Amino acid sequence: MEQWSWPPRYDETYRPPAGQEHWFPRRETMPAHERDEAILARIREVMSYAWDNSPFYRRKWDEAGIHPSSIASLEDFEKVPVVLKVELRADQAAHEPFGSYLCVDPAEVKHVNGTSGTTGRPTAFGISERDWRSVANAHARVMWAMGIRPEDTVIVGSPLSLYWGSWGAYIGAERLGARVFPFGAGQTGQTARTVQWMRQMGATVFYGTPSYALHLAETARQEGIDPAGLGLRKLFFSGEPGASVPSIRSRIAEAFAADVHDSGSMAEVSPWMHLGSGSTEPGVLCWQDLVYTEVCDPVSMRRVPYGSEGTPVYTTLERTSQPMIRLLSNDLTRWEAPSPDRGRTYPYLPRGIYGRIDDMFIIRGENIYPSAIDDVVMADPGYGGEHRIVISRGTAMDVLAVQVEHHPGLAADACQEWADRLSGRLRHVLGVGANVVPVQHNTLPRTDFKARRVIDDRDLLGEILRTGAGGTA
């Protein structure tokens, strides 16, 4: 396979000729079973490398009675215990700053990214120069599959901070040879300036979160600018579900008159674009030669059959600084078998990553995922741009309320009838009742990063029900 070596080495001068569909034609279109044989050999190399260089992995596998030499098949690999995020945080706390799963001398760490730490101890990602370049080359490949080319101007519209997403998009576009415009996000008034700069610089590709793209389109209209006239031809996303959720995807595509591409898994397993679009259809491919993905039963941690739902478990095949070997994502997806009809012979996630197991909530015995509610309300023609999901308990029963902004053109006396119809559609999809409470356009806060729409607050529910149609948040 093209430039397939351990440790990874890439020809930094290489770029596909104009008109070539694939960055590496052999690697991307070879029979899946032949690629699996190469992946098995690589897994053994990565495990041996971690065994020799990481006390964390050696201790974990010793306790499980696992040695790299015992992995003779991909089925054997399923016996390797999964790694939990909480284990990584605990290991870093005991072995600061990068944990005992760092497999290089700390002096080789040249880039530091990480989590914000808003939900606990922040996790530091120590990235060697070799890994930085491997991620850049991997992301360039996937962006090429999206149809992004050297003549494009790529605007990075997400925070340029510890967040890996921004930097991964930046270095991928740079390696591909495109003009990169790292405008960022997160400051007051910056969205309006983003619109201005996009027009001024002739941006043709946008990267950010789906929530921010919708906010950007709304802001452009408020500035008297049709977002479809900004000149974007492609938008690609990570950070949250949405780009493969039909209603969200179509709203973005229609607003900008551009192609929409999904991507992204976990920052810990960058190159996170290893789940990335390979065409203009919804869903993502599992680029297995970058990060080996298993969709697993969340109890047994064994692979589920194609066509089934499970949680992804990831193994990096090119990272040497902090390799992730069977890292549990706790995300939710469904996968399908590789098919040459998709242009690349990788497994396929038709709805991308559409939720997290720990984001799921149970209402009267039914499992509810926020993305299912998002899909229903955002597909409605009366939707006004934002919504909020509120879970509480009234008396002895759980109560689900969805506060939904209505379109500014909806007459006040028609609001409740509209809400009742929307409640009926939610009941049909979810299997439980949901009280839709209409509110005026621009009532709920917008975001320039990841949307947080679920609130479990009993007092807030009472406030929403008291204010009723047209009320304030």
Side-chain angles (χ1 to χ4, degrees), residues 165-257:
S166 305
W167 298 106
Y170 180 97
I171 62 177
E174 183 180 58
R175 170 64 183 90
L176 186 144
R179 178 185 294 123
V180 193
F181 184 28
F183 197 76
Q187 298 180 13
T188 302
Q190 190 167 3
T191 304
R193 292 194 294 273
T194 302
V195 174
Q196 177 185 350
W197 273 97
M198 286 172 67
R199 298 178 74 192
Q200 184 174 328
M201 299 307 299
T204 56
V205 177
F206 174 88
Y207 165 76
T209 62
S211 294
Y212 186 47
L214 291 170
H215 178 38
L216 185 69
E218 195 172 44
T219 300
R221 295 187 189 103
Q222 292 169 358
E223 296 290 315
I225 298 169
D226 180 1
L230 288 172
L232 292 178
R233 65 184 198 89
K234 292 185 178 291
L235 302 95
F236 70 106
F237 301 104
S238 72
E240 63 181 15
S244 289
V245 174
S247 60
I248 301 174
R249 180 185 180 86
S250 63
R251 290 179 74 90
I252 296 171
E254 291 168 8
F256 292 97

XYZ file of all heavy atoms in Angstrom, residues 165-257:
698
model
N -9.940 19.894 17.107
C -10.630 19.985 15.831
C -10.105 21.092 14.947
O -9.858 20.898 13.752
N -9.944 22.289 15.522
C -9.477 23.431 14.734
C -8.109 23.166 14.130
O -7.870 23.442 12.952
C -9.418 24.672 15.628
O -10.663 24.915 16.243
N -7.214 22.659 14.961
C -5.833 22.453 14.493
C -5.746 21.299 13.502
O -4.954 21.347 12.549
C -4.918 22.212 15.690
C -4.894 23.407 16.592
C -5.503 23.537 17.808
C -4.268 24.665 16.324
N -5.289 24.793 18.320
C -4.529 25.507 17.434
C -3.520 25.155 15.268
C -4.062 26.810 17.512
C -3.048 26.458 15.330
C -3.313 27.271 16.446
N -6.557 20.254 13.699
C -6.562 19.155 12.741
C -7.035 19.602 11.368
O -6.459 19.218 10.344
N -8.098 20.433 11.342
C -8.576 20.967 10.061
C -7.525 21.877 9.439
O -7.309 21.857 8.215
C -9.882 21.725 10.282
N -6.870 22.671 10.291
C -5.857 23.615 9.792
C -4.701 22.881 9.120
O -4.339 23.180 7.980
C -5.345 24.471 10.950
C -4.306 25.487 10.556
C -4.669 26.806 10.292
C -2.961 25.147 10.422
C -3.718 27.752 9.927
C -2.007 26.068 10.044
C -2.389 27.372 9.800
O -1.451 28.294 9.421
N -4.099 21.912 9.857
C -2.903 21.278 9.301
C -3.251 20.348 8.144
O -2.435 20.140 7.237
C -2.084 20.535 10.379
C -2.891 19.393 11.025
C -1.601 21.511 11.431
C -2.081 18.576 12.050
N -4.485 19.805 8.122
C -4.899 18.986 6.985
C -5.038 19.814 5.723
O -4.564 19.421 4.651
N -5.689 20.980 5.855
C -5.843 21.861 4.695
C -4.493 22.376 4.218
O -4.234 22.483 3.008
C -6.762 23.023 5.053
N -3.620 22.691 5.161
C -2.279 23.176 4.820
C -1.498 22.101 4.054
O -0.865 22.389 3.037
C -1.557 23.558 6.110
C -0.184 24.151 5.935
C 0.434 24.493 7.270
O 0.577 23.583 8.124
O 0.777 25.666 7.489
N -1.554 20.850 4.550
C -0.836 19.763 3.882
C -1.415 19.499 2.490
O -0.669 19.185 1.550
C -0.921 18.491 4.742
C -0.414 17.217 4.070
C 1.071 17.296 3.750
N 1.522 16.109 3.041
C 1.527 15.966 1.721
N 1.081 16.955 0.932
N 1.975 14.858 1.166
N -2.711 19.673 2.337
C -3.342 19.457 1.043
C -2.916 20.515 0.030
O -2.982 20.290 -1.175
C -4.863 19.463 1.232
C -5.755 19.116 0.061
C -6.973 18.329 0.541
C -6.246 20.383 -0.636
N -2.454 21.662 0.542
C -1.999 22.728 -0.345
C -2.989 23.852 -0.519
O -2.770 24.759 -1.337
N -4.097 23.806 0.259
C -5.104 24.856 0.156
C -4.646 26.103 0.913
O -3.737 26.056 1.745
C -6.436 24.365 0.717
N -5.288 27.232 0.616
C -5.084 28.440 1.409
C -5.906 28.288 2.689
O -7.092 27.987 2.637
C -5.525 29.679 0.634
C -5.386 30.976 1.435
C -5.934 32.182 0.693
N -5.147 32.471 -0.496
C -5.633 32.532 -1.721
N -6.929 32.319 -1.921
N -4.859 32.816 -2.756
N -5.283 28.500 3.843
C -5.958 28.300 5.120
C -6.180 29.642 5.806
O -5.258 30.453 5.911
C -5.160 27.370 6.048
C -6.026 26.940 7.227
C -4.654 26.144 5.306
N -7.406 29.832 6.284
C -7.799 31.088 6.913
C -8.317 30.770 8.322
O -9.495 30.513 8.523
C -8.885 31.729 6.049
C -9.349 33.081 6.502
C -8.523 33.932 7.205
C -10.634 33.500 6.206
C -8.958 35.175 7.610
C -11.089 34.743 6.600
C -10.244 35.586 7.307
N -7.443 30.775 9.339
C -7.849 30.380 10.696
C -8.533 31.528 11.436
O -7.939 32.158 12.316
C -6.517 29.996 11.344
C -5.512 30.875 10.675
C -5.999 31.069 9.261
N -9.792 31.782 11.107
C -10.477 32.921 11.703
C -10.911 32.660 13.135
O -10.990 33.569 13.955
C -11.704 33.297 10.853
C -12.224 34.670 11.162
C -11.567 35.796 10.696
C -13.356 34.843 11.939
C -12.027 37.074 10.985
C -13.830 36.111 12.222
C -13.167 37.232 11.753
N -11.216 31.398 13.463
C -11.601 31.065 14.821
C -13.054 31.399 15.110
O -13.853 31.685 14.224
N -13.405 31.367 16.392
C -14.766 31.662 16.841
C -14.716 31.866 18.343
O -13.724 31.553 19.009
C -15.711 30.514 16.488
N -15.803 32.403 18.886
C -15.925 32.466 20.338
C -15.954 33.844 20.945
O -16.265 33.983 22.130
N -15.632 34.893 20.181
C -15.634 36.243 20.728
C -16.924 36.963 20.344
O -17.500 36.729 19.289
C -14.425 37.027 20.216
C -13.082 36.420 20.632
C -11.906 37.228 20.104
O -12.084 38.345 19.635
N -10.727 36.651 20.177
N -17.342 37.868 21.208
C -18.563 38.625 20.960
C -18.463 39.391 19.644
O -17.484 40.091 19.394
C -18.812 39.611 22.114
O -18.896 38.885 23.343
C -20.113 40.386 21.895
N -19.471 39.251 18.823
C -19.512 39.947 17.546
C -18.678 39.321 16.455
O -18.661 39.831 15.317
N -18.026 38.209 16.760
C -17.113 37.625 15.775
C -17.856 36.995 14.597
O -17.325 36.958 13.486
C -16.206 36.584 16.434
C -15.076 36.103 15.540
C -14.016 35.334 16.300
O -14.147 35.103 17.489
N -12.957 34.934 15.621
N -19.074 36.522 14.829
C -19.799 35.857 13.744
C -20.099 36.818 12.609
O -19.936 36.479 11.425
C -21.091 35.222 14.278
O -20.762 34.326 15.347
C -21.800 34.453 13.185
N -20.519 38.036 12.945
C -20.766 39.025 11.894
C -19.480 39.348 11.147
O -19.483 39.527 9.915
C -21.356 40.297 12.501
N -18.372 39.403 11.880
C -17.091 39.661 11.211
C -16.678 38.472 10.351
O -16.021 38.647 9.318
C -16.006 39.981 12.249
C -16.226 41.303 12.974
C -14.989 41.739 13.731
N -14.660 40.836 14.826
C -15.159 40.931 16.057
N -16.037 41.889 16.336
N -14.803 40.093 16.999
N -17.053 37.272 10.777
C -16.758 36.080 9.967
C -17.412 36.202 8.598
O -16.791 35.917 7.566
C -17.260 34.803 10.672
O -16.652 34.686 11.960
C -16.938 33.559 9.852
N -18.669 36.617 8.584
C -19.385 36.793 7.313
C -18.649 37.785 6.431
O -18.434 37.554 5.225
C -20.837 37.252 7.573
C -21.536 37.591 6.260
C -21.610 36.180 8.336
N -18.239 38.902 7.019
C -17.538 39.939 6.247
C -16.228 39.411 5.674
O -15.922 39.614 4.493
C -17.267 41.143 7.142
C -16.473 42.252 6.457
C -16.117 43.376 7.428
O -16.613 43.415 8.557
N -15.252 44.289 6.997
N -15.461 38.716 6.505
C -14.166 38.215 6.053
C -14.317 37.104 5.018
O -13.503 36.971 4.109
C -13.357 37.719 7.253
C -12.562 38.802 7.906
C -12.901 39.528 9.008
C -11.286 39.293 7.487
N -11.919 40.435 9.312
C -10.906 40.318 8.385
C -10.420 38.977 6.438
C -9.711 41.017 8.278
C -9.219 39.673 6.324
C -8.880 40.675 7.236
N -15.348 36.285 5.165
C -15.571 35.230 4.181
C -15.784 35.828 2.795
O -15.241 35.327 1.799
C -16.776 34.379 4.586
C -16.507 33.441 5.744
S -18.004 32.613 6.339
C -18.407 31.588 4.937
N -16.567 36.893 2.726
C -16.794 37.558 1.436
C -15.499 38.200 0.930
O -15.162 38.111 -0.253
C -17.873 38.621 1.586
C -19.233 38.091 1.990
C -20.240 39.217 2.154
N -20.660 39.754 0.866
C -21.343 40.880 0.723
N -21.653 41.612 1.781
N -21.714 41.303 -0.478
N -14.791 38.850 1.834
C -13.589 39.583 1.439
C -12.496 38.658 0.927
O -11.793 38.982 -0.040
C -13.087 40.380 2.643
C -11.884 41.268 2.356
C -11.540 42.136 3.561
O -12.418 42.538 4.328
N -10.262 42.413 3.746
N -12.352 37.487 1.580
C -11.264 36.573 1.228
C -11.680 35.509 0.209
O -10.861 34.710 -0.219
C -10.731 35.877 2.495
C -10.165 36.842 3.531
S -8.909 37.965 2.855
C -7.671 36.810 2.303
N -12.941 35.491 -0.157
C -13.387 34.503 -1.143
C -13.303 33.079 -0.632
O -12.898 32.171 -1.371
N -13.691 32.868 0.635
C -13.646 31.517 1.207
C -14.549 30.579 0.415
O -15.678 30.924 0.061
C -14.078 31.554 2.670
N -14.050 29.386 0.141
C -14.826 28.389 -0.613
C -15.174 27.166 0.226
O -16.040 26.384 -0.154
C -14.054 27.927 -1.860
O -12.769 27.424 -1.457
C -13.865 29.075 -2.836
N -14.482 26.997 1.363
C -14.717 25.841 2.237
C -14.784 26.334 3.675
O -13.967 27.172 4.088
C -13.593 24.781 2.094
C -13.822 23.621 3.060
C -13.514 24.265 0.662
N -15.744 25.822 4.431
C -15.913 26.199 5.836
C -15.766 24.971 6.713
O -16.311 23.907 6.413
C -17.292 26.821 6.064
C -17.605 27.099 7.512
C -17.237 28.306 8.097
C -18.272 26.162 8.292
C -17.521 28.558 9.431
C -18.556 26.401 9.628
C -18.185 27.614 10.193
N -15.039 25.120 7.838
C -14.984 24.064 8.859
C -15.462 24.632 10.193
O -15.086 25.749 10.577
C -13.564 23.513 9.044
C -13.472 22.715 10.331
C -14.011 21.431 10.400
C -12.929 23.259 11.488
C -13.998 20.720 11.585
C -12.907 22.547 12.675
C -13.448 21.274 12.722
O -13.447 20.579 13.909
N -16.276 23.860 10.899
C -16.740 24.239 12.226
C -17.683 23.171 12.742
O -17.563 21.994 12.397
N -18.639 23.580 13.579
C -19.678 22.668 14.052
C -20.975 22.970 13.299
O -21.190 24.099 12.853
C -19.924 22.825 15.556
O -20.393 24.157 15.829
C -18.654 22.555 16.363
N -21.863 21.982 13.161
C -23.142 22.247 12.500
C -23.935 23.366 13.173
O -24.559 24.188 12.493
C -23.874 20.900 12.603
C -22.787 19.881 12.691
C -21.694 20.545 13.479
N -23.916 23.416 14.511
C -24.645 24.474 15.220
C -24.148 25.847 14.808
O -24.935 26.778 14.601
C -24.490 24.301 16.738
O -25.105 23.120 17.175
N -22.826 25.977 14.700
C -22.284 27.281 14.352
C -22.602 27.648 12.903
O -22.831 28.830 12.590
C -20.780 27.330 14.592
C -20.200 28.711 14.381
C -20.809 29.824 14.946
C -19.063 28.902 13.618
C -20.293 31.097 14.764
C -18.534 30.175 13.424
C -19.161 31.261 13.996
O -18.661 32.525 13.810
N -22.624 26.682 12.016
C -22.968 26.979 10.620
C -24.379 27.539 10.525
O -24.643 28.488 9.766
C -22.829 25.722 9.769
N -25.312 26.962 11.284
C -26.682 27.478 11.277
C -26.738 28.881 11.867
O -27.455 29.759 11.371
C -27.594 26.528 12.055
C -27.832 25.164 11.391
C -28.543 24.215 12.347
C -28.637 25.321 10.110
N -25.977 29.117 12.925
C -25.890 30.452 13.521
C -25.279 31.441 12.535
O -25.726 32.594 12.414
C -25.052 30.364 14.801
C -24.840 31.662 15.498
N -25.815 32.642 15.593
C -23.751 32.155 16.155
C -25.345 33.674 16.274
N -24.091 33.403 16.615
N -24.261 30.985 11.802
C -23.611 31.835 10.807
C -24.591 32.239 9.710
O -24.634 33.408 9.289
C -22.415 31.085 10.213
C -21.524 31.840 9.228
C -20.743 32.934 9.941
C -20.553 30.869 8.555
N -25.400 31.279 9.249
C -26.389 31.586 8.210
C -27.416 32.587 8.712
O -27.799 33.521 7.992
C -27.078 30.291 7.761
N -27.852 32.419 9.944
C -28.831 33.329 10.531
C -28.248 34.734 10.678
O -28.911 35.737 10.380
C -29.264 32.787 11.891
C -30.509 33.414 12.458
C -30.971 32.677 13.702
O -30.131 32.340 14.558
O -32.180 32.454 13.829
N -26.994 34.810 11.116
C -26.326 36.106 11.274
C -26.162 36.798 9.924
O -26.354 38.010 9.801
C -24.957 35.916 11.947
O -25.142 35.314 13.229
C -24.230 37.248 12.122
N -25.806 36.031 8.893
C -25.652 36.615 7.561
C -26.969 37.250 7.108
O -26.972 38.383 6.586
C -25.206 35.538 6.565
N -28.067 36.572 7.318
C -29.369 37.126 6.919
C -29.671 38.413 7.681
O -30.213 39.367 7.114
C -30.461 36.089 7.153
C -30.340 34.844 6.277
C -31.543 33.939 6.429
N -31.329 32.651 5.754
C -31.037 31.527 6.394
N -30.898 31.524 7.713
N -30.873 30.407 5.719
N -29.323 38.435 8.982
C -29.538 39.644 9.773
C -28.688 40.806 9.270
O -29.062 41.971 9.436
C -29.220 39.361 11.247
C -30.196 38.415 11.918
C -29.720 37.932 13.283
O -28.623 38.270 13.725
N -30.540 37.143 13.954
N -27.565 40.470 8.637
C -26.688 41.496 8.061
C -27.118 41.856 6.632
O -26.426 42.617 5.954
C -25.237 40.992 8.042
C -24.625 40.736 9.412
C -24.373 42.016 10.175
O -23.841 42.971 9.584
O -24.719 42.061 11.383
N -28.233 41.284 6.192
C -28.719 41.564 4.848
C -28.006 40.798 3.761
O -28.022 41.203 2.587
N -27.375 39.684 4.125
C -26.596 38.898 3.169
C -27.203 37.507 3.048
O -27.464 36.834 4.051
C -25.123 38.785 3.630
C -24.481 40.171 3.702
C -24.329 37.861 2.720
C -23.141 40.183 4.398
N -27.433 37.068 1.837
C -27.908 35.708 1.598
C -26.728 34.765 1.774
O -25.728 34.863 1.042
C -28.462 35.605 0.177
C -28.984 34.206 -0.144
O -28.931 33.324 0.736
O -29.427 34.000 -1.294
N -26.786 33.825 2.755
C -25.640 32.920 2.946
C -25.306 32.112 1.699
O -24.146 31.733 1.503
C -26.082 32.023 4.108
C -27.548 32.213 4.240
C -27.845 33.583 3.726
N -26.295 31.879 0.834
C -26.021 31.144 -0.404
C -25.152 31.943 -1.358
O -24.547 31.375 -2.279
C -27.336 30.770 -1.087
N -25.051 33.245 -1.126
C -24.224 34.083 -1.980
C -22.822 34.307 -1.464
O -22.055 35.090 -2.050
N -22.455 33.633 -0.369
C -21.113 33.819 0.194
C -20.030 33.140 -0.626
O -18.844 33.413 -0.437
C -21.071 33.300 1.639
C -21.814 34.156 2.673
C -21.865 33.441 4.022
C -21.116 35.510 2.819
N -20.416 32.206 -1.492
C -19.430 31.566 -2.369
C -18.877 30.254 -1.854
O -17.981 29.679 -2.489
N -19.394 29.753 -0.708
C -18.929 28.453 -0.230
C -19.406 27.356 -1.173
O -20.531 27.376 -1.653
C -19.462 28.169 1.172
C -18.924 29.037 2.313
C -19.604 28.642 3.620
C -17.410 28.888 2.453
N -18.529 26.400 -1.412
C -18.958 25.241 -2.190
C -18.991 23.984 -1.334
O -19.669 23.025 -1.667
C -18.075 25.050 -3.409
C -16.633 24.713 -3.163
C -15.806 24.636 -4.451
N -14.547 23.913 -4.232
C -14.410 22.601 -4.358
N -15.447 21.859 -4.705
N -13.246 22.021 -4.136
N -18.279 24.010 -0.209
C -18.264 22.852 0.687
C -18.171 23.313 2.137
O -17.501 24.306 2.444
C -17.086 21.917 0.381
C -17.232 21.211 -0.971
C -16.137 20.214 -1.218
C -16.364 19.509 -2.563
N -17.531 18.604 -2.551
N -18.850 22.567 3.026
C -18.707 22.751 4.461
C -18.455 21.378 5.058
O -19.120 20.393 4.695
C -19.967 23.353 5.088
C -20.449 24.708 4.564
C -21.509 24.502 3.478
C -21.053 25.546 5.695
N -17.463 21.292 5.953
C -17.259 20.020 6.642
C -17.202 20.274 8.138
O -16.814 21.343 8.596
C -16.034 19.269 6.122
C -14.689 19.860 6.445
C -13.870 19.284 7.417
C -14.208 20.974 5.760
C -12.608 19.809 7.690
C -12.955 21.502 6.024
C -12.155 20.913 6.999
N -17.640 19.257 8.901
C -17.938 19.461 10.304
C -17.391 18.353 11.183
O -17.167 17.235 10.739
C -19.460 19.529 10.506
C -20.122 20.629 9.730
C -20.843 20.350 8.575
C -20.026 21.934 10.155
C -21.455 21.358 7.866
C -20.634 22.959 9.438
C -21.346 22.672 8.308
N -17.237 18.680 12.456
C -17.000 17.700 13.513
C -17.469 18.334 14.810
O -17.983 19.452 14.822
C -15.516 17.313 13.588
O -14.740 18.383 14.119
N -17.301 17.618 15.914
C -17.570 18.189 17.225
C -18.919 17.854 17.809
O -19.088 17.879 19.026
N -19.918 17.550 16.966
C -21.256 17.218 17.453
C -22.024 16.539 16.330
O -21.692 16.711 15.152
C -22.003 18.483 17.909
C -22.241 19.481 16.787
C -22.952 20.744 17.251
O -23.014 20.991 18.470
O -23.443 21.486 16.377
N -23.075 15.757 16.685
C -23.914 15.183 15.630
C -24.607 16.291 14.844
O -24.839 17.382 15.359
C -24.931 14.340 16.411
C -24.318 14.111 17.750
C -23.485 15.338 18.028
N -24.940 16.021 13.619
C -25.680 17.009 12.841
C -25.452 16.910 11.348
O -26.404 16.958 10.565
N -24.205 16.778 10.928
C -23.922 16.798 9.498
C -24.454 15.561 8.776
O -24.539 15.562 7.549
C -22.428 16.941 9.259
N -24.808 14.494 9.525
C -25.449 13.331 8.914
C -26.892 13.172 9.375
O -27.553 12.209 8.993
C -24.659 12.052 9.238
O -23.432 12.024 8.544
N -27.381 14.102 10.215
C -28.799 14.100 10.616
C -29.577 14.797 9.505
O -29.305 15.964 9.192
C -28.988 14.826 11.958
C -30.468 14.944 12.305
C -28.232 14.086 13.075
N -30.523 14.108 8.855
C -31.127 14.648 7.629
C -31.626 16.077 7.728
O -31.342 16.901 6.851
C -32.268 13.661 7.354
C -31.798 12.369 7.943
C -31.033 12.755 9.170
N -32.379 16.428 8.789
C -32.958 17.769 8.854
C -31.886 18.836 9.020
O -31.958 19.905 8.402
C -33.971 17.851 9.999
O -33.352 17.580 11.246
N -30.885 18.563 9.851
C -29.817 19.543 10.068
C -28.978 19.684 8.803
O -28.651 20.791 8.359
C -28.942 19.129 11.267
C -29.793 19.016 12.534
C -27.799 20.120 11.467
C -29.051 18.487 13.739
N -28.651 18.543 8.218
C -27.834 18.541 6.999
C -28.514 19.332 5.880
O -27.875 20.160 5.213
C -27.611 17.093 6.572
C -26.786 16.916 5.313
C -26.738 15.446 4.922
N -25.949 15.255 3.721
C -24.642 15.096 3.711
N -23.974 15.093 4.845
N -23.987 14.919 2.576
N -29.811 19.108 5.688
C -30.504 19.787 4.597
C -30.625 21.283 4.861
O -30.529 22.085 3.924
C -31.880 19.162 4.386
O -32.701 19.334 5.526
N -30.816 21.692 6.121
C -30.909 23.118 6.430
C -29.597 23.831 6.095
O -29.593 24.941 5.557
C -31.251 23.332 7.906
C -32.665 22.938 8.271
C -32.926 23.158 9.751
N -33.057 24.572 10.043
C -34.203 25.236 10.008
N -35.315 24.608 9.669
N -34.245 26.515 10.302
N -28.473 23.181 6.414
C -27.172 23.781 6.126
C -26.933 23.834 4.629
O -26.515 24.862 4.073
C -26.051 23.004 6.840
C -26.200 23.112 8.362
C -24.681 23.518 6.406
C -25.257 22.202 9.135
N -27.180 22.710 3.947
C -26.944 22.646 2.502
C -27.791 23.664 1.750
O -27.308 24.338 0.826
C -27.235 21.229 1.992
N -29.048 23.806 2.146
C -29.932 24.766 1.480
C -29.544 26.206 1.797
O -29.607 27.079 0.933
C -31.377 24.494 1.900
C -31.929 23.186 1.349
C -33.235 22.780 2.001
O -33.785 23.595 2.784
O -33.701 21.654 1.746
N -29.138 26.455 3.053
C -28.785 27.827 3.436
C -27.593 28.335 2.640
O -27.584 29.482 2.178
C -28.483 27.892 4.931
N -26.586 27.480 2.446
C -25.354 27.925 1.795
C -25.255 27.489 0.340
O -24.282 27.856 -0.335
C -24.141 27.396 2.567
C -23.969 28.007 3.931
C -24.445 27.369 5.062
C -23.334 29.238 4.090
C -24.290 27.930 6.329
C -23.175 29.807 5.341
C -23.658 29.155 6.465
N -26.232 26.687 -0.124
C -26.186 26.150 -1.492
C -24.828 25.484 -1.739
O -24.141 25.751 -2.732
C -26.446 27.247 -2.522
